[in-house]
Amino acid sequence: MARLLERRAGVVLDWAAGVRHSGAVWLLVKARTYKEPDLRVVRYGVQADDLRAMRWLV
């Protein structure tokens, strides 16, 4: 999922994921990220379209 977000936004994310005992998956993404191709620091936030794309995949 993190790679999907990276491709959609053209960024390199700092992220972590985990699975809870309930089966829920958590994806944590830092707001400070790097924009490709020059890797300058930018602020990133997950958009509604990103969430819809992830739900569709799941």
Side-chain angles (χ1 to χ4, degrees):
M1 291 294 164
R3 298 293 179 232
L4 169 70
L5 294 175
E6 287 179 332
R7 286 195 187 111
R8 288 174 61 89
V11 296
V12 177
L13 298 173
D14 187 359
W15 62 275
V19 179
R20 299 190 54 123
H21 292 293
S22 66
V25 176
W26 287 58
L27 177 63
L28 305 170
V29 178
K30 287 187 179 179
R32 183 178 168 169
T33 190
Y34 303 95
K35 185 77 172 170
E36 292 183 325
D38 57 357
L39 298 180
R40 63 184 163 85
V41 175
V42 295
R43 188 159 179 81
Y44 173 78
V46 177
Q47 303 298 310
D49 287 344
D50 297 324
L51 294 174
R52 279 191 286 277
M54 287 190 291
R55 283 188 198 109
W56 182 82
L57 283 174
V58 172

